[in-house]
Amino acid sequence: MKLIRLYIENFGGLSGYGLEFQEGVTVIQEPNGFGKTTLAEFIRAMFYGFPRKAKTLDKSRRQKYTPWNGSKCGGNLVFEHEGKQYRVERTFGATPRGDTFALIDLSTNQKSDRFSEELGLELFRLDADSFERSTYMSQTSERMELTTDAIQAKLGDLVEDTGDINNFEKAVAALKGKRIEYALYRGSGGSVWEAQNRITALQRQLDDARNQMQSLRENDDQIRELEAALEQAEQELAQTREKLTAASEGAAVAAAKKQEQALWEECRQASDALTRLEEQYPAGLPSAQRIDEALRTAERRSLLKEQQVTGPADLEAEETANRLAARFEGRMPTAEALEARRQDWERYRNLRARLEHLDLSPAEKQRLEALAHVSERTDEELEALENQNAQLRRLREHVSLGAMPEAEQAELARLEQYFAAGIPGEEELERHRRALAKAEQLRQENARIMSAARTEEKPGKRNGWAMPALLVVLSAAAVAAGTVLLVGKSYLIGGICLGIGVLMLIGGVFAAIRQMVARELSGVSRMDRAAQAQMDEAEREAALLEETARCFVHIYSGAPAAEGIHEIRTQRQRILALREKRRTVQAKAASLEEQIRTLNASLAQALSGENYDRAILELRLARKEYQDLVQKKADTDTAREVVRLECGKLESEITAFLAGWFDAAEPETMGQLLDQLCQERDAYSRAVLRRDEWKQRKAARRQALEDCDRKLESFFRDQGLLPEEDIPAQLRVLSSDEKNFRDTVSRRAEWEEKLRLFRISNDQLLSRPLPEETDDIENLKAAERRTAEAVSSLTRRLLERRQAHWNLRRETDRIPELQDELEQWQRQKHEDQEKARMLDETVEFLQKAKDSLSTRYLDPLRSGFGRYLSRLSGERAEGVLVTPELQVRLERMGQSRELGYFSTGQADLVMLCMRFALVDALFKDVKPFVILDDPFVNLDDEKTAQALELLRELSRDRQIVYLVCNSSRTM
Amino acid sequence: MKLIHCSDIHLDSKMEHNLSPRQAKERNAEICATFGRLTDYAVREDVTGVLLAGDLFDTGRVSARTADYVLEQIRKAANVTFFYLRGNHDESRDVFAGMEIPGNFKTFGGAWTSYRLGQVVVTGLELNRENHTEMYEKLRLDPKDCNIVMLHGQESAQPGEELIALPMLRGKHIRYLALGHIHSHSEGRLDDDGTYAYCGCLEGRGFDECGEKGFILLDVEGDRIGTRFVPFAARRLWDVAVEITELTTVSQLQSAMETASAHIPSDDLVKFTLTGSYTMETQKDLAFLRKMLEGRFYFVKIKDESRLKIDRESYEHDASLKGEFIRMVMASDKSEEEKERIICCGIRALSGEEVTL
């Protein structure tokens, strides 16, 4: 099969483009952007069209190559196959439905049905993608070296470069990853394992629940047995109870008659008792109230008789009243008077005690005697002593104040040291001052001469100052400008201005100094010699005068001469003044010392000790204390007299009071007599009161006894009874009989009512005759009890079994739920196992597919590659081996050697060999053309030439379309 | 006189296995509650008797709670007589063991048993291995009565252990043959005198029980019996087929399913059955679709019966791993369904998409 020509009407960027293909290599040299890839795609589209149903998601191919202007997309391609030329014409619409196809047999110019629309597939036996992957080789973007490992990989990839083989490992990993979600390949884990765990747990629970089923059945059997036994026991119980009822009815008749007899007997006994009491008391029994009243009267009478009216205290009171009657009969002191006298006595006693203590203490008396000598000193005398002492103190202060101050003494000492060489006279100081004035005068004269000489300079020379002045002005301006700029944050320009200003200022100062020196030098040179000599003489004289003065000053001070003379004069005046002051002070101090000695002698004679202040103070304090003690003694004496008078008055009053009851009362016994009078008065009052009460009690008792006797006598007379000796006991018996009588009457009525009611209520039973012989009730009761217990026991057991039934039902009720859940998990497990199995099978199929693909294409690829490689390397075909592992070996010296690597320049050529080998492997019957899209762009000239040579070589076997953009790589 | 004919309530039943445990419990409770509603209905509508024509319970394992509930409902409807004929699912005779059976609860055994309700005589028999052949001979009914016969089994021409030979019941003076066993409602003519009817189940439990579910209300006047089917289920089950051949995106699939189920109330249970074919490009993500539709209904299930459409020719000359893989799978002896699943799984993995099963 070979391509003849093509014409592109419209396809992508190509329009109205025609091309004639050559036998071997068809070189299409066009610049970049021409549309070489579009051309390759057109050839593909002519054979395969655009896919009607995309196998991939890439659906943009049709859109990509459809012209934007909407013109018809398509063209035609002429090719030769099996000696015949055909023209395939295709146009492409927006959708597959708009596509057209035509195959023209150019030998007849008729449409041919040799191939269908699936031209490429029928011609090459490969689908469009496989065709494109093998017959189209684009330029490589990077240069590389091909090691044998890389060749191995590349060859593998060529076979497997299907767009998905690269994803093989990822796909297998994803499938295995999904698979282990269901079941791990090794170990425990995955949803199948989890489901199995759950199934095991549920199976265990289900087994437990099913085991309960047997228990439930056994329990239900027991329930049925118990129900039958219970039914039988209940029947027995009913029969026994029927017999018991019959026996009970007979017993009831007998019991009723017996009960009636017992009630009648009770009524009879009560009537008999009443008859006996009525016989005992023919006049009848008094009421219980009257008996109680009589009994209380009798008991009171007995109590009154037994009561003791007179006691020892009564007798003692009688005796006391009689004994004290002589003292107090008709003259009983009042309590108020007695209390007033007792208070007087207390006051008297207190005054007496106070009188004893109303005097100076012994210490005070002793002190008073000790201070007797002070009484001789008068206040005037003490005042005179104080005045003298004050005068002495003032004199001493004057002495101390009259001395020179310490500062002046220190200053005097300093001045004495200053003038250690002697104090110069005023004339000497004046002389040196005048010498200095003269030296000054001489120098001023010299200066005047010098000044006169400078004034003779030329006016133009003054212009020498213009430059410094100008520089200073400019520098000031520059500094000001720099400062303004810096403030305005223009740091660079401001800094430059500032620097220029500073430099100008320095320059100005330098110029000014230079001008000054120049002027000085020029002035000196201009003076005449005579004036210069005069100036020198004056200068020497001035220097001598100054040196003399300086030497004089240097004796006293380090100051310059003029200042030194002034300083010496000042210090001289000061030392003279201080010396005069010291003499005056010393004279005054001597006079004061004499007065002090006189006063001191006078005070020493009047006072003891040398501290006159303290002696005078002690003397004053002693005198004050003495005066206070004298005053206190006078006050005490006055108070004692007042107390003594009051005591006498109280003593007279108390004695007069006591005289009413006692013969004589001494002051010492007044208190005792008052106490005695008080006690005896109280005792007499109490005794008289008690004696009166005793007499009243005796009269009342006698009256009560008489009342009791009268009432009892009336009671017995009314009842026709004779009182016995123990009347209370007799009345108690009577009371008992009365109560007994009343109770018996009530009891008889009660029993009679019971008998009546019993007869009414048991009328039927009492009317029946007594039953004949019946079953023993006790035996029947025992039997009934036993049967009832059996029923109760069976009922209880039945309840227990039923409870157990419900408990077991609760357990077994879970079985359906557990079964459902178990089935669900088993279903889940099965589904997951199936999924895992399916994933395993998918992986297996993928692996097999990969192996199959490799086996089918790799061997032809390997041999083809070896063949092409030998042609490239110039080796013999049998000298180049490609191993099944796709390693390249070269035969050298009869031995197969592994080829380490291909150089960088050879890599593209090796790739070309691979591509041709792949085309050979894929296309079995028809050798297709190969489209090379500028694949040697990375080669140098030498390698390019080699590559092109290889192309020529290869084009002998097949048609090659070589697209190139650079003439250097064209053929 | 009004009578209710119902059957196949299947209390304590297994539920549709895709229901969550919570929903399964809820549905079981709902079926119990439906029985309660039935008794309430009977009381409210002054119904004289309820014919429970078999399979009141699903298995022999009836929970005490359910047994208690049934008896309590019957006890509450004291004026209604319940005729309970055990079906093939009512395996246990001890469901109510140890419980107090209310007086208005009547049962049947292996021999014909009759109960009279005024002029109506209800006769029933529980089919078993021993009686299924001779029961037809032993059925004696008074033609003067309005006879209602209860049986549980599959209608048939010949007798069998779980079969009811309708021809052999003709001429037996049956006015109404109340049948249970078939879960869908159907009625037919038995003979000149009477009719037969399957009332179907009260509630659907799985997607094999779609459609209206309820009971038959009998109105007896003299010897004439009128019937009316009363839909009574709390929820209905639907099986909605969705053709997906022309659909490619998941949105299109969802839209088609929503359109197909637009008329279904949200309280119902819906199974979508995807039919037709799909290609490798079809975004058939069942988990996603189920998630999208879950909130629409009480329960949603998606059954995929669609088939992968593989253009064998398009892969025949594909010199790629994908082509080789598809060719190998298609050439294997796997079932068509397995082939589809393996291919889908492998292609998804090769395309770097998430592997879904």
Side-chain angles (χ1 to χ4, degrees):
Chain A
M1 206 284 300
K2 64 180 180 184
L3 303 174
I4 304 299
R5 62 180 169 274
L6 63 77
Y7 175 74
I8 300 174
E9 190 173 349
N10 279 302
F11 195 83
L14 294 176
S15 181
Y17 179 79
L19 176 64
E20 291 284 338
F21 293 98
Q22 305 301 314
E23 279 287 333
V25 181
T26 302
V27 179
I28 302 171
Q29 185 194 339
E30 295 288 354
N32 282 332
F34 159 74
K36 295 192 290 296
T37 309
T38 304
L39 181 61
E41 179 62 26
F42 176 79
I43 296 170
R44 175 191 180 280
M46 283 298 108
F47 283 107
Y48 288 95
F50 286 140
R52 286 180 176 275
K53 292 180 181 175
K55 287 195 293 182
T56 66
L57 295 177
D58 179 11
K59 294 182 179 177
S60 62
R61 195 190 294 264
R62 182 183 295 274
Q63 294 171 356
K64 183 177 177 184
Y65 293 107
T66 301
W68 291 359
N69 56 14
S71 56
K72 200 72 174 178
C73 173
N76 64 68
L77 175 73
V78 178
F79 66 94
E80 186 184 297
H81 177 64
E82 294 176 344
K84 271 190 170 183
Q85 287 193 352
Y86 299 93
R87 186 173 71 235
V88 55
E89 299 171 354
R90 285 184 192 264
T91 61
F92 303 104
T95 61
R97 198 169 290 177
D99 293 354
T100 63
F101 169 79
L103 184 69
I104 310 295
D105 183 346
L106 293 182
S107 62
T108 62
N109 274 333
Q110 298 289 320
K111 282 192 176 179
S112 171
D113 56 359
R114 172 71 178 79
F115 298 105
S116 72
E117 199 172 346
E118 301 290 339
L119 173 62
L121 199 63
E122 292 164 8
L123 198 59
F124 303 119
R125 296 288 172 191
L126 275 180
D127 66 2
D129 289 345
S130 303
F131 172 83
E132 186 177 0
R133 284 198 301 274
S134 55
T135 60
Y136 182 79
M137 184 175 174
S138 65
Q139 56 185 251
T140 53
S141 59
E142 58 183 20
R143 304 198 64 176
M144 61 180 179
E145 291 182 353
L146 272 182
T147 63
T148 51
D149 289 343
I151 289 172
Q152 189 177 5
K154 284 287 174 188
L155 282 173
D157 286 349
L158 276 178
V159 171
E160 297 161 355
D161 184 15
T162 58
D164 50 25
I165 193 67
N166 290 332
N167 292 328
F168 173 76
E169 294 299 334
K170 285 183 184 173
V172 169
L175 290 166
K176 288 185 173 178
K178 190 69 180 175
R179 197 265 196 195
I180 62 174
E181 287 180 16
Y182 300 111
L184 295 181
Y185 288 99
R186 278 184 294 181
S188 305
S191 60
V192 173
W193 181 78
E194 287 169 7
Q196 183 55 48
N197 280 349
R198 186 65 190 146
I199 287 167
T200 306
L202 285 168
Q203 192 66 53
R204 197 176 301 121
Q205 292 177 33
L206 195 58
D207 290 345
D208 292 344
R210 281 176 175 156
N211 288 336
Q212 299 291 343
M213 281 296 297
Q214 182 58 31
S215 304
L216 180 65
R217 287 193 201 97
E218 291 171 1
N219 190 71
D220 288 348
D221 291 343
Q222 288 180 17
I223 287 173
R224 279 189 281 275
E225 288 172 10
L226 285 169
E227 283 174 342
L230 180 62
E231 190 178 351
Q232 188 180 353
E234 283 174 341
Q235 285 175 1
E236 284 179 18
L237 183 61
Q239 290 170 0
T240 306
R241 281 179 174 160
E242 279 177 12
K243 288 180 184 176
L244 191 58
T245 304
S248 297
E249 283 178 356
V253 171
K257 289 185 178 297
K258 189 178 176 183
Q259 180 71 9
E260 183 193 29
Q261 183 60 35
L263 290 170
W264 182 85
E265 186 62 28
E266 289 289 343
C267 291
R268 191 188 60 75
Q269 286 178 6
S271 296
D272 290 350
L274 289 174
T275 305
R276 282 196 298 276
L277 284 170
E278 283 167 355
E279 287 172 353
Q280 189 177 347
Y281 298 99
L285 283 162
S287 68
Q289 187 182 359
R290 285 207 65 190
I291 296 169
D292 287 344
E293 283 179 9
L295 183 58
R296 280 198 296 276
T297 306
E299 285 172 349
R300 184 159 179 264
R301 180 176 175 277
S302 299
L303 281 173
L304 287 169
K305 276 196 164 184
E306 289 169 3
Q307 193 176 15
Q308 291 294 326
V309 179
T310 305
D314 298 327
L315 296 173
E316 187 181 348
E318 176 72 11
E319 190 273 328
T320 303
N322 293 338
R323 179 167 55 81
L324 295 174
R327 175 164 295 165
F328 292 106
E329 192 72 45
R331 48 179 177 175
M332 190 78 165
T334 65
E336 292 76 17
L338 198 55
E339 183 57 30
R341 295 291 84 75
R342 282 181 68 86
Q343 286 177 1
D344 289 345
W345 163 247
E346 282 299 321
R347 181 166 171 72
Y348 171 77
R349 204 170 54 167
N350 291 336
L351 288 170
R352 287 297 297 263
R354 188 181 164 203
L355 196 60
E356 286 177 8
H357 295 95
L358 200 61
D359 198 358
L360 291 179
S361 66
E364 286 174 331
K365 288 177 180 173
Q366 192 174 355
R367 184 66 182 157
L368 190 63
E369 288 174 5
L371 293 173
H373 67 281
V374 182
S375 61
E376 297 167 2
R377 299 285 182 134
T378 63
D379 289 339
E380 291 75 19
E381 188 179 349
L382 284 174
E383 196 169 346
L385 285 171
E386 278 178 349
N387 290 337
Q388 286 178 358
N389 187 39
Q391 190 178 1
L392 179 63
R393 202 161 45 243
R394 278 195 300 275
L395 289 171
R396 282 175 175 163
E397 284 173 2
H398 287 163
V399 168
S400 64
L401 289 172
M404 277 181 71
E406 287 181 3
E408 289 181 350
Q409 288 177 13
E411 187 182 6
L412 184 58
R414 181 183 65 76
L415 290 171
E416 292 290 353
Q417 193 172 355
Y418 185 88
F419 291 108
I423 298 172
E426 184 60 32
E427 299 78 16
E428 189 177 4
L429 286 171
E430 185 60 25
R431 181 167 48 82
H432 285 298
R433 189 191 64 78
R434 280 198 298 273
L436 284 174
K438 187 176 181 183
E440 180 64 21
Q441 192 176 1
L442 288 172
R443 288 225 167 84
Q444 285 176 351
E445 184 62 25
N446 280 351
R448 189 189 58 76
I449 294 169
M450 182 71 79
S451 176
R454 282 175 183 161
T455 53
E456 293 171 1
E457 278 183 84
K458 289 180 181 176
K461 289 291 182 181
R462 289 178 187 166
N463 292 340
W465 291 98
M467 180 59 72
L470 182 62
L471 286 172
V472 168
V473 170
L474 288 174
S475 74
V479 168
T483 307
V484 170
L485 289 168
L486 284 174
V487 170
K489 297 189 176 177
S490 298
Y491 298 113
L492 181 62
I493 301 172
I496 291 169
C497 289
L498 208 59
I500 291 169
V502 170
L503 288 174
M504 284 181 173
L505 183 64
I506 293 168
V509 171
F510 175 73
I513 292 169
R514 191 164 172 275
Q515 182 68 18
M516 283 173 68
V517 171
R519 284 177 65 88
E520 197 69 33
L521 291 173
S522 64
V524 171
S525 63
R526 281 192 301 270
M527 283 189 301
D528 57 32
R529 299 295 176 190
Q532 184 66 44
Q534 184 182 346
M535 283 173 63
D536 291 343
E537 182 60 29
E539 179 61 30
R540 276 193 299 275
E541 187 181 352
L544 182 62
L545 289 170
E546 282 179 350
E547 181 61 22
T548 305
R550 193 186 63 78
C551 288
F552 169 74
V553 169
H554 188 67
I555 293 169
Y556 305 99
S557 170
E563 289 82 359
I565 287 169
H566 178 71
E567 180 189 313
I568 293 165
R569 177 172 282 160
T570 306
Q571 298 295 343
R572 179 178 177 278
Q573 289 170 354
R574 182 64 182 157
I575 193 170
L576 290 176
L578 287 173
R579 279 181 176 176
E580 181 57 30
K581 185 175 182 180
R582 185 173 64 189
R583 271 194 303 275
T584 308
V585 166
Q586 284 173 348
K588 190 174 181 181
S591 168
L592 290 172
E593 284 296 334
E594 184 57 35
Q595 291 178 32
I596 288 168
R597 271 195 298 276
T598 307
L599 283 171
N600 206 17
S602 171
L603 286 169
Q605 188 177 0
L607 299 171
S608 60
E610 295 178 354
N611 190 341
Y612 302 134
D613 291 339
R614 182 172 180 176
I616 290 167
L617 181 62
E618 286 176 352
L619 201 57
R620 275 201 174 280
L621 288 173
R623 180 170 167 70
K624 177 75 172 63
E625 187 181 7
Y626 175 77
Q627 287 173 341
D628 291 344
L629 286 171
V630 168
Q631 183 61 42
K632 186 176 180 182
K633 189 171 184 312
D635 294 344
T636 305
D637 291 345
T638 307
R640 278 179 65 85
E641 187 58 29
V642 171
V643 170
R644 193 176 296 115
L645 288 172
E646 191 171 0
C647 281
K649 184 182 174 188
L650 289 170
E651 186 179 325
S652 303
E653 287 176 358
I654 294 168
T655 306
F657 176 75
L658 288 172
W661 292 277
F662 298 101
D663 295 338
E666 296 299 326
E668 293 76 15
T669 61
M670 279 193 304
Q672 187 182 352
L673 290 174
L674 277 171
D675 290 342
Q676 183 183 343
L677 182 63
C678 198
Q679 288 168 4
E680 285 180 353
R681 177 187 173 279
D682 291 345
Y684 179 71
S685 297
R686 283 195 301 271
V688 169
L689 188 62
R690 186 168 189 88
R691 185 183 63 189
D692 293 346
E693 287 174 355
W694 173 48
K695 285 178 180 175
Q696 286 173 4
R697 279 203 307 275
K698 279 170 73 176
R701 175 174 172 268
R702 189 164 53 250
Q703 182 63 37
L705 275 172
E706 286 172 2
D707 287 346
C708 289
D709 288 344
R710 194 165 50 252
K711 285 179 181 174
L712 287 171
E713 185 183 349
S714 169
F715 175 79
F716 282 107
R717 187 172 60 246
D718 292 345
Q719 295 303 319
L721 295 174
L722 291 173
E724 296 174 0
E725 188 174 351
D726 188 355
I727 294 172
Q730 185 184 4
L731 287 171
R732 276 194 281 274
V733 169
L734 184 60
S735 174
S736 174
D737 288 344
E738 188 276 335
K739 186 172 185 302
N740 193 16
F741 181 80
R742 209 156 16 92
D743 291 346
T744 306
V745 168
S746 172
R747 193 166 65 247
R748 186 179 65 182
E750 192 177 330
W751 284 119
E752 283 173 351
E753 179 63 15
K754 280 183 181 175
L755 180 61
R756 188 180 68 79
L757 293 174
F758 183 78
R759 280 173 176 163
I760 291 169
S761 61
N762 295 281
D763 182 37
Q764 289 185 349
L765 287 174
L766 293 172
S767 63
R768 288 185 197 174
L770 276 172
E772 298 174 0
E773 194 68 23
T774 56
D775 290 336
D776 182 38
I777 288 180
E778 291 306 317
N779 289 340
L780 286 171
K781 282 184 177 174
E784 190 260 352
R785 201 161 43 245
R786 281 196 301 277
T787 313
E789 284 173 1
V791 168
S792 174
S793 170
L794 286 168
T795 306
R796 193 168 55 252
R797 287 170 61 195
L798 196 56
L799 279 174
E800 288 171 359
R801 287 301 94 207
R802 281 180 175 155
Q803 185 61 45
H805 170 84
W806 291 117
N807 291 339
L808 289 167
R809 278 295 290 269
R810 268 196 292 278
E811 293 294 319
T812 55
D813 277 353
R814 294 180 60 228
I815 290 176
E817 191 180 328
L818 289 170
Q819 281 175 331
D820 286 353
E821 196 176 355
L822 182 63
E823 281 178 22
Q824 191 175 349
W825 280 105
Q826 283 172 336
R827 197 164 48 243
Q828 183 70 46
K829 180 190 166 190
H830 178 70
E831 285 174 5
D832 289 353
Q833 280 176 326
E834 279 300 302
K835 287 174 181 173
R837 184 182 64 76
M838 204 194 66
L839 289 165
D840 288 344
E841 288 184 353
T842 306
V843 171
E844 195 179 331
F845 272 113
L846 277 175
Q847 188 62 52
K848 281 181 183 171
K850 180 173 177 286
D851 295 344
S852 170
L853 200 65
S854 299
T855 306
R856 190 183 305 166
Y857 296 111
L858 207 56
D859 285 345
L861 176 71
R862 184 161 49 84
S863 61
F865 176 61
R867 195 168 59 250
Y868 285 111
L869 202 59
S870 69
R871 289 168 73 172
L872 173 66
S873 60
E875 296 281 343
R876 292 178 296 110
E878 54 275 17
V880 178
L881 296 174
V882 180
T883 66
E885 292 76 31
L886 297 174
Q887 289 180 330
V888 180
R889 287 178 171 274
L890 297 175
E891 188 181 298
R892 287 285 183 274
M893 307 293 287
Q895 289 187 335
S896 174
R897 292 176 186 275
E898 185 177 330
L899 182 63
Y901 63 93
F902 288 94
S903 68
T904 306
Q906 288 177 310
D908 287 343
L909 300 179
V910 173
M911 288 299 295
L912 192 66
C913 293
M914 288 182 193
R915 179 55 61 103
F916 277 91
L918 175 67
V919 171
D920 289 347
L922 290 176
F923 298 86
K924 303 290 185 190
D925 304 328
V926 178
K927 292 292 181 190
F929 50 88
V930 176
I931 302 170
L932 303 176
D933 186 3
D934 213 356
F936 310 127
V937 70
N938 293 322
L939 299 188
D940 56 20
D941 291 345
E942 184 186 350
K943 295 295 178 192
T944 302
Q946 190 180 356
L948 295 177
E949 184 56 36
L950 179 63
L951 275 188
R952 284 191 201 94
E953 179 73 22
L954 294 174
S955 66
R956 290 176 190 163
D957 299 335
R958 70 193 68 246
Q959 194 176 24
I960 296 172
V961 179
Y962 178 48
L963 307 171
V964 63
C965 66
N966 193 315
S967 61
S968 66
R969 294 193 294 277
T970 190
M971 296 178 73
Chain B
M1 177 188 295
K2 289 179 186 172
L3 297 170
I4 285 176
H5 167 205
C6 67
S7 72
D8 298 280
I9 300 174
H10 288 273
L11 297 170
D12 275 1
S13 166
K14 289 178 195 173
M15 288 294 116
E16 158 61 36
H17 67 251
N18 288 105
L19 283 177
S20 68
R22 179 188 63 77
Q23 285 177 318
K25 282 188 174 180
E26 201 169 88
R27 276 299 287 157
N28 249 320
E30 278 179 357
I31 293 174
C32 255
T34 299
F35 179 74
R37 285 196 296 121
L38 179 78
T39 58
D40 292 343
Y41 179 92
V43 172
R44 190 171 63 248
E45 298 295 326
D46 198 20
V47 171
T48 306
V50 175
L51 313 175
L52 299 166
D55 290 355
L56 175 60
F57 303 105
D58 191 58
T59 64
R61 296 265 42 84
V62 180
S63 70
R65 182 187 62 243
T66 303
D68 268 341
Y69 180 80
V70 168
L71 291 184
E72 185 57 31
Q73 294 304 313
I74 292 171
R75 203 172 284 118
K76 276 164 60 180
N79 294 328
V80 182
T81 305
F82 289 79
F83 300 96
Y84 169 44
L85 181 112
R86 292 192 304 125
N88 56 315
H89 278 269
D90 297 311
E91 296 165 3
S92 174
R93 303 191 72 90
D94 299 327
V95 171
F96 302 114
M99 297 179 180
E100 187 185 343
I101 306 298
N104 58 332
F105 187 59
K106 310 296 182 188
T107 57
F108 301 88
W112 289 108
T113 307
S114 295
Y115 297 95
R116 178 173 286 280
L117 290 172
Q119 82 277 21
V120 174
V121 174
V122 178
T123 303
L125 172 141
E126 293 171 357
L127 274 174
N128 59 39
R129 192 172 296 169
E130 288 75 30
N131 66 11
H132 71 272
T133 52
E134 56 194 25
M135 69 164 190
Y136 303 97
E137 281 298 319
K138 290 184 176 177
L139 179 60
R140 298 279 190 271
L141 299 172
D142 189 338
K144 293 194 288 296
D145 293 326
C146 180
N147 291 301
I148 293 176
V149 172
M150 293 173 65
L151 284 170
H152 184 90
Q154 173 73 46
E155 65 173 304
S156 169
Q158 298 296 324
E161 190 176 336
E162 292 185 359
L163 301 177
I164 299 166
L166 292 180
M168 296 175 75
L169 292 170
R170 287 172 185 152
K172 295 285 186 181
H173 313 297
I174 299 172
R175 294 288 181 196
Y176 182 81
L177 178 59
L179 298 175
H181 191 60
I182 305 296
H183 290 188
S184 297
H185 166 238
S186 64
E187 296 184 31
R189 197 79 209 167
L190 179 64
D191 55 19
D192 291 341
D193 292 332
T195 59
Y196 72 94
Y198 282 102
C199 57
C201 53
L202 266 184
E203 289 272 0
R205 293 167 298 136
F207 287 104
D208 54 345
E209 295 175 356
C210 295
E212 289 278 21
K213 302 297 172 192
F215 58 82
I216 295 173
L217 182 65
L218 308 181
D219 193 359
V220 183
E221 284 186 15
D223 60 350
R224 294 178 61 81
I225 299 177
T227 61
R228 179 165 63 91
F229 180 75
V230 179
F232 205 66
R235 298 181 196 276
R236 188 171 166 180
L237 288 93
W238 301 77
D239 189 351
V240 179
V242 180
E243 165 65 41
I244 66 164
T245 304
E246 296 299 323
L247 311 178
T248 51
T249 67
V250 72
S251 298
Q252 288 173 338
L253 288 168
Q254 181 187 346
S255 177
M257 293 165 84
E258 285 176 344
T259 304
S261 60
H263 63 289
I264 300 174
S266 60
D267 288 338
D268 288 354
L269 293 84
V270 182
K271 180 176 85 171
F272 291 96
T273 304
L274 306 185
T275 60
S277 61
Y278 64 97
T279 65
M280 300 296 290
E281 282 71 37
T282 306
Q283 297 168 355
K284 195 181 65 176
D285 189 335
L286 299 185
F288 177 81
L289 288 169
R290 189 160 47 245
K291 197 75 185 166
M292 287 294 105
L293 293 162
E294 254 175 10
R296 269 277 287 121
F297 304 105
Y298 177 73
F299 172 72
V300 169
K301 177 183 181 178
I302 300 175
K303 182 171 175 56
D304 184 14
E305 291 182 354
S306 61
R307 287 284 167 265
L308 175 65
K309 186 177 179 184
I310 300 175
D311 185 0
R312 288 169 185 263
E313 290 180 357
S314 68
Y315 290 99
E316 195 174 346
H317 302 290
D318 187 351
S320 69
L321 178 60
K322 190 188 293 179
E324 190 72 14
F325 170 69
I326 292 173
R327 286 194 295 273
M328 291 191 87
V329 176
M330 295 303 287
S332 69
D333 56 357
K334 300 283 176 191
S335 68
E336 287 303 311
E337 188 179 355
E338 279 188 320
K339 285 176 184 174
E340 282 178 20
R341 296 183 70 185
I342 290 172
I343 287 171
C344 280
C345 202
I347 298 303
R348 277 182 174 278
L350 283 171
S351 305
E353 295 176 28
E354 187 186 358
V355 178
T356 55
L357 298 169

